[in-house]
Amino acid sequence: MESPRCEQRITKVSLAEILRCFEHPISEEQAWAVCFQCCRKMEQLAQGLRPPLHSVFIKGPGSIFIHADGTASFKVYHKSGKSIDVGSIQQSEDKLLEYLGVVIYEALDWGIDSQVERELSDPLEKLLCLMLKLDDEAMKPAVTLQDVIKACEEHLATTSEATSHCEMTCRSLFTEYMELQKLVTIIQTSKEVHLGSPLSCYSPVDLALTGFSEASLWPNVIRELQNGVRLRKATERPQRHAPLKECIHSPYELLLDDIQHKRYTLRKVSD
């Protein structure tokens, strides 16, 4: 029997799930889009849309959700809930933006070796420093939602297209995740059929011997596609001629071959 998650159509996925699925960090363009969509959502909540902004909980990539329509949402604290510490709820706008900045930075740094520092573009690095309060100017006023939204808009050549562009970028991110999950499920199912039992019944060594790996293959494929793949012309491909196998032809095949290669002499027929 399938789980309810499989039966129902998935409409949102956490940023943490996306990162675990792809096993590589998000791109700068995706970071701008996620940041913009999150700030727009905060802006809507601040204007009275439920749930109220003070109930929003941002702590790690698992607390931000990307929806199928390209919008974003957050994990929400409920008074009846016991899973979230009340003292950890961020109620101020600048605190929410600070924690959002931490999540964006984590997503940009996901899976990168601790000894390697990712180089970011100046505008994005400046925005993150502003959100994380890393600016040296102590007397500088706290960053606001409008400051971050404006920075995200000015990142684009046409500021008026920010909403549609960021929505499309987040929608593509969700779609890529769903397609990859579907592909992995198909391969996993086919392997289970081949092995005769669910994959959970086998040890990692057994799965390795059968050539199955849940995660190692797809990030490499995606990384190569993102970096660009050069297609060779057919003439550049190495020609591998298989040795011809001797076979016995029927009289009809021999006759047909003679006709095709014009191995015959026609005699003139008189009227």
Side-chain angles (χ1 to χ4, degrees):
M1 182 177 178
E2 293 185 349
S3 63
R5 182 179 176 84
C6 296
E7 293 174 357
Q8 298 175 358
R9 182 172 175 270
I10 298 174
T11 58
K12 67 178 182 179
V13 60
S14 72
L15 185 57
E17 289 180 88
I18 292 174
L19 292 169
R20 282 194 294 267
C21 178
F22 289 121
E23 285 195 345
H24 66 78
I26 61 175
S27 66
E28 285 201 15
E29 201 59 45
Q30 290 168 339
W32 282 107
V34 171
C35 185
F36 180 84
Q37 291 297 78
C38 286
C39 288
R40 287 297 303 272
K41 185 64 176 180
M42 287 185 199
E43 189 179 44
Q44 293 171 2
L45 297 178
Q47 293 171 356
L49 187 68
R50 296 191 64 84
L53 184 60
H54 64 77
S55 66
V56 169
F57 180 78
I58 300 179
K59 190 176 182 181
S63 57
I64 293 178
F65 298 92
I66 306 299
H67 292 245
D69 61 359
T71 57
S73 64
F74 310 99
K75 184 176 287 186
V76 177
Y77 167 74
H78 299 284
K79 290 183 179 180
S80 59
K82 297 180 180 179
S83 60
I84 301 174
D85 180 17
V86 178
S88 66
I89 302 303
Q90 306 94 39
Q91 296 186 2
S92 62
E93 184 178 299
D94 64 318
K95 268 295 181 183
L96 282 172
L97 290 173
E98 183 181 346
Y99 280 88
L100 175 60
V102 171
V103 172
I104 297 296
Y105 186 83
E106 286 181 8
L108 285 164
D109 200 46
W110 184 275
I112 297 178
D113 192 283
S114 58
Q115 304 297 323
V116 180
E117 184 177 354
R118 177 170 180 174
E119 293 185 6
L120 301 176
S121 62
D122 289 339
L124 184 56
E125 186 173 358
K126 184 178 178 181
L127 176 62
L128 289 174
C129 286
L130 192 66
M131 295 172 71
L132 297 172
K133 301 177 181 178
L134 300 178
D135 203 301
D136 295 332
E137 300 177 31
M139 300 301 293
K140 198 168 185 178
V143 63
T144 65
L145 278 172
Q146 289 304 318
D147 293 333
V148 180
I149 290 174
K150 184 180 179 182
C152 292
E153 289 175 339
E154 292 177 347
H155 154 68
L156 298 172
T158 308
T159 57
S160 60
E161 296 178 356
T163 301
S164 58
H165 174 79
C166 293
E167 190 176 282
M168 181 186 66
T169 303
C170 288
R171 190 165 57 240
S172 298
L173 185 62
F174 177 89
T175 302
E176 287 175 18
Y177 167 83
M178 292 302 298
E179 289 178 349
L180 185 54
Q181 285 292 91
K182 188 185 298 183
L183 190 58
V184 170
T185 301
I186 291 172
I187 292 178
Q188 183 174 348
T189 304
S190 65
K191 282 292 180 181
E192 288 179 354
V193 171
H194 174 70
L195 294 171
S197 300
L199 293 180
S200 56
C201 298
Y202 294 87
S203 68
V205 175
D206 294 330
L207 293 176
L209 291 174
T210 60
F212 178 78
S213 174
E214 288 189 61
S216 61
L217 175 62
W218 309 117
N220 293 334
V221 173
I222 291 172
R223 200 173 295 116
E224 287 191 17
L225 291 174
Q226 289 179 333
N227 292 335
V229 179
R230 177 179 175 271
L231 300 179
R232 293 183 300 179
K233 294 181 180 180
T235 54
E236 296 180 26
R237 296 174 184 170
Q239 300 293 328
R240 296 181 180 178
H241 297 287
L244 296 175
K245 295 181 180 179
E246 293 185 4
C247 57
I248 301 175
H249 296 283
S250 66
Y252 171 78
E253 289 174 327
L254 292 172
L255 177 61
L256 182 62
D257 186 65
D258 286 341
I259 294 173
Q260 288 176 337
H261 292 86
K262 297 183 179 180
R263 290 193 293 266
Y264 53 80
T265 303
L266 296 178
R267 290 180 296 178
K268 187 175 181 180
V269 179
S270 56
D271 294 335

